[in-house]
Amino acid sequence: MRSGLPQRAADGCRLLHHYPDASERQQALRELVRISRGRVVVSYFSNVSLSAARFHASHLLRGRPRVDRVPIWPWVFRRDVEAAGLSWVST
């Protein structure tokens, strides 16, 4: 995954809940590290939230597959962050 930006060209922030696959999230994180001038700030849709519960209930009742805005367990996201060579900082 390449953004087309040179190294240290941007301040990194990405919404990682649009990547349902761990390898895609890790690639996106590595690319953010490459192009970032410093810290990389990311957000994700936590599976430990009321919104996630509504999301799962809605998709279960309607029988629709999860395509976009996929909830991620915090421990899974932390593993992705660490696999990409980043350190986890909570806010």
Side-chain angles (χ1 to χ4, degrees):
M1 176 178 298
R2 299 284 294 190
S3 65
L5 295 171
Q7 288 183 339
R8 293 189 271 285
D11 297 319
C13 182
R14 183 70 185 172
L15 305 172
L16 293 175
H17 56 263
H18 293 290
Y19 297 104
D21 183 59
S23 65
E24 290 177 307
R25 288 191 300 271
Q26 292 168 18
Q27 288 175 354
L29 287 165
R30 286 187 197 101
E31 180 64 3
L32 286 173
V33 169
R34 188 187 73 77
I35 66 170
S36 176
R37 287 180 237 177
R39 292 180 185 246
V40 174
V41 178
V42 296
S43 69
Y44 71 101
F45 182 19
S46 176
N47 230 337
V48 186
S49 68
L50 185 56
S51 295
R54 282 192 300 248
F55 172 89
H56 288 299
S58 170
H59 284 75
L60 187 66
L61 291 172
R62 294 185 181 131
R64 293 183 185 166
R66 296 176 297 173
V67 179
D68 193 28
R69 195 173 165 251
V70 177
I72 306 165
W73 289 105
W75 63 269
V76 171
F77 187 65
R78 185 176 191 144
R79 185 183 63 206
D80 293 341
V81 166
E82 292 169 351
L86 294 166
S87 59
W88 179 271
V89 179
S90 296
T91 59

